[in-house]
Amino acid sequence: MKALIVNLSVSLFFIYALACKEYIIRIIAVHKDDTSANVNETDIPFKVAQGYYINNSVHGRLAYPNIYTQHDLDTFFSSSSMMGKEEISTSIDFSKQFVIALTEPKVEEDFFLHPISLKKDREGQIILNYKKELGLKQTYASTAFVLIIVDKKYDASVVLNEIDE
């Protein structure tokens, strides 16, 4: 009888150990799945262009925000040096880079657009997360915009995602 109890105790111990091992493996697998959701987006480095003005012909958002040539950039924006300003515009090498242009309709408030992050999602699209900042009322209407310079190796369609904070 004593041997039966010992064998039963040993068997229960192994069953308990196997159950714990399976439970631990399941916890690790669930944890892996949770973290992989964050890994599916890749951060994309970018630079915000300075020293540009938006042309009066631009009203609201551009139909396609990606700009690939100097000619296309000049269609919508002007360098500050073209405006007689001494400010130097950020140089863009269109053989290696492209521009994502985020524009908003004219408003009578001081209005800023702040890029927060640029990511490539699992479908291969670029997600531009940005924040709007509305300031004081002005006596004139102006168009807020931001030009983001990105390496061409990240080229893809862009999804604009406003973050409310």
Side-chain angles (χ1 to χ4, degrees):
M1 182 74 157
K2 206 175 198 181
L4 182 63
I5 292 174
V6 170
N7 283 340
L8 188 58
S9 296
V10 170
S11 296
L12 287 174
F13 172 77
F14 282 116
I15 290 170
Y16 177 75
L18 287 173
C20 288
K21 181 180 175 186
E22 185 177 330
Y23 179 72
I24 290 170
I25 290 171
R26 283 186 184 165
I27 289 173
I28 291 170
V30 167
H31 181 66
K32 270 186 165 179
D33 288 346
D34 288 346
T35 58
S36 66
N38 297 332
V39 175
N40 288 332
E41 288 188 345
T42 306
D43 286 331
I44 299 174
F46 66 91
K47 182 178 180 180
V48 176
Q50 302 293 322
Y52 289 88
Y53 294 93
I54 193 163
N55 294 341
N56 288 333
S57 60
V58 178
H59 304 286
R61 286 219 169 136
L62 299 181
Y64 191 67
N66 293 15
I67 298 175
Y68 298 103
T69 67
Q70 186 67 49
H71 177 267
D72 289 343
L73 182 71
D74 294 342
T75 301
F76 305 110
F77 303 93
S78 297
S79 169
S80 61
S81 60
M82 302 291 280
M83 303 286 285
K85 305 278 185 185
E86 291 183 26
E87 180 181 2
I88 297 174
S89 300
T90 304
S91 175
I92 303 167
D93 181 355
F94 283 102
S95 68
K96 299 176 184 173
Q97 301 167 317
F98 71 101
V99 171
I100 299 173
L102 173 58
T103 61
E104 289 288 329
K106 288 186 177 188
V107 293
E108 292 184 354
E109 289 83 17
D110 207 8
F111 190 25
F112 301 97
L113 297 170
H114 303 284
I116 304 298
S117 65
L118 201 59
K119 298 181 180 288
K120 190 167 261 194
D121 68 10
R122 70 175 91 168
E123 286 84 32
Q125 296 178 316
I126 294 175
I127 309 298
L128 171 57
N129 295 306
Y130 69 96
K131 184 169 79 168
K132 290 181 184 179
E133 180 184 346
L134 204 56
L136 299 173
K137 184 117 170 110
Q138 305 174 126
T139 58
Y140 56 91
S142 62
T143 304
F145 74 95
V146 64
L147 300 176
I148 299 166
I149 304 169
V150 183
D151 190 298
K152 274 194 174 177
K153 70 181 177 184
Y154 299 106
D155 185 23
S157 63
V158 175
V159 176
L160 304 173
N161 182 42
E162 181 183 350
I163 297 174
D164 295 323
E165 288 187 4

